[in-house]
Amino acid sequence: MPTALITGASRGLGAAIARTLAPTHDLLLGGRPSSELDTLATQLEGSSTWPVELTDHEEMADAVDAIDSLDVLVHNAGVGSISTVEETPADEYRRIMEVNLIAVAELTRLLLPALREVGGHIVFINSGAGRNANPGWSAYAASKFALRAFADSLRAEEPGLRVTSVYPGRIDTDMQADIVAMEGGEYDGSRFLAPDTVAAAVAHAIATPADAHPTEIILRPTARR
């Protein structure tokens, strides 16, 4: 079977993507070492953990060294925070950019030979914040706008690869619950996209026949589930 590497796979959307791709792919489950990551790997046949700290570039380079070919790379790992421009120090911009952009760019660079080997597919889990910036989201939105630009440049540079940016609205995850709490709201997950819904869109893009290039997918919640 083809092989897919998914970052941020231990829970939430990453775990949903892993479960959706498991029937058709051997999986490398990326994430910090954790019991959740180990449990998921035991549940999904053909899966193994890839416990790498993405901001440690030397560790990442060592982990990538054994990957000779790769069919799918899903960049799902990310961080976020909410604060006004006035309240956001430079270190917070650096922290978010390091995970949401720089680690993504470096992992992509390291894996390009393996992806080129099989004409692979790279999926970037972006955000609605990668298309529209709202008050309080300057650092996160800046990282996602930058991720969008990176994906567009990569697509133009690598015609032998497929590059898809996915822009989901808010997703019903633990991270979303934390965000709503920071906003001072009451959490109602039914208002948001189900992780399985977004995972299905990712799987659909990957399964698109080779004569088509799914470049962008935009998903918005309907609050009808």
Side-chain angles (χ1 to χ4, degrees):
M1 285 200 295
T3 300
L5 168 57
I6 305 164
T7 67
S10 60
R11 58 180 183 151
L13 178 57
I17 293 171
R19 293 189 182 96
T20 303
L21 294 183
T24 55
H25 292 74
D26 291 325
L27 301 179
L28 295 172
L29 304 175
R32 293 188 178 94
S34 68
S35 59
E36 291 93 344
L37 195 66
D38 293 339
T39 298
L40 186 63
T42 61
Q43 292 172 345
L44 302 178
E45 185 176 353
S47 299
S48 58
T49 61
W50 197 72
V52 176
E53 173 52 66
L54 296 178
T55 59
D56 185 331
H57 297 173
E58 289 187 7
E59 180 182 340
M60 187 161 57
D62 289 342
V64 163
D65 193 53
I67 303 176
D68 296 323
S69 66
L70 184 65
D71 299 274
V72 177
L73 171 59
V74 181
H75 288 292
N76 170 72
V79 296
S81 65
I82 301 173
S83 60
T84 65
V85 171
E86 181 181 13
E87 297 169 334
T88 308
D91 283 349
E92 182 65 1
Y93 285 95
R94 291 190 186 97
R95 181 184 77 89
I96 291 177
M97 285 290 187
E98 184 66 42
V99 176
N100 292 359
L101 176 66
I102 297 171
V104 170
E106 181 64 0
L107 181 58
T108 301
R109 184 186 72 83
L110 291 169
L111 284 172
L112 276 177
L115 289 157
R116 289 170 180 153
E117 182 70 22
V118 290
H121 194 156
I122 306 170
V123 178
F124 295 89
I125 304 300
N126 201 295
S127 167
R131 300 179 66 87
N132 297 285
N134 292 316
W137 292 87
S138 63
Y140 181 73
S143 74
K144 291 300 188 177
F145 268 75
L147 183 64
R148 176 184 180 182
F150 176 77
D152 290 348
S153 293
L154 178 66
R155 189 182 301 114
E157 290 178 10
E158 297 288 337
L161 305 179
R162 294 200 293 183
V163 177
T164 302
S165 288
V166 182
Y167 300 93
R170 293 194 173 201
I171 306 170
D172 180 17
T173 62
D174 292 342
M175 180 178 175
Q176 194 63 238
D178 293 340
I179 290 170
V180 171
M182 284 188 283
E183 293 173 326
E186 184 174 341
Y187 191 76
D188 178 3
S190 67
R191 296 167 45 217
F192 307 131
L193 292 163
D196 288 347
T197 299
V198 182
V202 171
H204 181 75
I206 293 169
T208 300
D211 64 322
H213 190 158
T215 57
E216 293 188 342
I217 298 172
I218 300 173
L219 300 170
R220 294 289 177 265
T222 63
R224 290 201 296 263
R225 66 184 177 94

